[in-house]
Amino acid sequence: MNDILDFFLEPYRTASTLNIILEFIAASFGVASVFFAKQENILVYPTGIISTAIYVYLLSQWNLYGDLIINIYYTLMSVFGWYMWSKVIDDKKNHIPISRTNTKDKLKAIGIFLFTSIFVIVIYRYYNVMPNTLNFTESIQYAFKNLASGNLEKFRLAIPFIDTFTTGIFFAAMWLMALKKIENWTLWIIGNIASIPLYFVKGYGFTGIQYFVFLILAILAYKQWKKSLNSNLATV
């Protein structure tokens, strides 16, 4: 138990009080944002902007470039989503409803995932966050070898490879959320499952806990949005 507690607290022993407070505030607003998203409440966006804006600052201090890119994108997409959710679409002052993705939406989401992942790989290799002397096959082998090593330090060397996957997933999920597509929650669930252990390994416990709460809320949100979608279809 003490080993687990030390693992959680060790990074905070050298962190500034300001950064610890900011991480807690950002995590709290992030949880609030997902809760509002679950309720289909437009407050998802202002609370989300506060959270992501703080994380942009923190991640610049932590040199976590992939996560930094994610949060800049989140902030911009939150502005877009805020506009989309508040937009009146007919003379009855209705807003966009929850719906499912069509083939075009799916292709766009896949395109966003691939473009984002490739972009992050290019950035990581440029800054040598990933080894930039390895070819594609060697990079895959390097990642799997370190992930399966059973050694924490070697596992950390492979984190950037997982970051490229989660960044692409979250970019696509944020875009689908702005359009109120129910599949956004499926992507959040997948991304959160991958992110939870990563943040603990990186040494950011509050954020790891935040992503665990995100996972629970995303599962509940999917169920709630599905119920709402089925109800709307039955009414039509």
Side-chain angles (χ1 to χ4, degrees):
M1 184 65 182
N2 288 335
D3 289 340
I4 296 174
L5 193 60
D6 286 340
F7 177 77
F8 180 86
L9 294 177
E10 181 60 32
Y12 294 102
R13 293 191 175 114
T14 56
S16 70
T17 302
L18 175 62
N19 281 3
I20 293 173
I21 292 172
L22 286 176
E23 186 186 353
F24 179 77
I25 292 172
S28 299
F29 273 96
V31 170
S33 177
V34 178
F35 174 79
F36 285 127
K38 172 180 173 292
Q39 302 297 325
E40 201 184 345
N41 189 316
I42 201 167
L43 287 175
V44 54
Y45 290 112
T47 52
I49 288 172
I50 292 172
S51 175
T52 55
I54 295 173
Y55 270 120
V56 166
Y57 166 76
L58 289 174
L59 292 163
S60 69
Q61 303 297 302
W62 299 338
N63 296 321
L64 296 176
Y65 303 109
D67 300 290
L68 175 63
I69 293 168
I70 291 175
N71 280 273
I72 291 174
Y73 173 81
Y74 280 176
T75 304
L76 296 175
M77 281 301 296
S78 290
V79 175
F80 172 67
W82 198 344
Y83 164 74
M84 291 296 295
W85 282 35
S86 61
K87 183 174 67 173
V88 175
I89 62 173
D90 57 30
D91 56 4
K92 295 181 181 179
K93 299 188 181 301
N94 289 319
H95 302 290
I96 58 172
I98 295 171
S99 61
R100 292 190 178 278
T101 55
N102 54 33
T103 301
K104 186 177 180 180
D105 294 327
K106 288 182 172 68
L107 290 175
K108 285 184 177 180
I110 292 171
I112 290 171
F113 170 79
L114 292 175
F115 175 82
T116 304
S117 297
I118 292 170
F119 177 76
V120 174
I121 289 171
V122 170
I123 295 296
Y124 274 5
R125 288 178 71 89
Y126 179 80
Y127 286 104
N128 203 29
V129 177
M130 286 180 173
N132 54 22
T133 58
L134 303 179
N135 61 33
F136 179 77
T137 302
E138 291 169 340
S139 294
I140 297 297
Q141 292 172 342
Y142 174 88
F144 276 105
K145 179 181 178 181
N146 285 301
L147 287 172
S149 67
N151 181 283
L152 184 59
E153 293 305 316
K154 288 184 177 180
F155 184 90
R156 283 175 173 154
L157 294 175
I159 285 177
F161 294 86
I162 304 176
D163 277 343
T164 62
F165 170 77
T166 56
T167 303
I169 284 286
F170 288 146
F171 269 43
M174 194 71 183
W175 180 73
L176 291 177
M177 175 177 281
L179 301 180
K180 280 194 181 179
K181 301 297 182 179
I182 192 171
E183 289 84 357
N184 85 87
W185 292 115
T186 304
L187 297 186
W188 286 120
I189 290 168
I190 295 170
N192 289 333
I193 289 172
S195 295
I196 291 168
L198 291 188
Y199 275 100
F200 282 110
V201 170
K202 290 174 183 179
Y204 304 111
F206 286 135
T207 304
I209 292 172
Q210 177 197 37
Y211 273 87
F212 178 76
V213 176
F214 281 174
L215 174 61
I216 302 301
L217 288 176
I219 294 170
L220 295 176
Y222 177 82
K223 292 180 179 179
Q224 186 161 325
W225 277 39
K226 185 177 181 181
K227 182 178 179 180
S228 178
L229 176 61
N230 291 339
S231 177
N232 291 338
L233 291 175
T235 301
V236 172

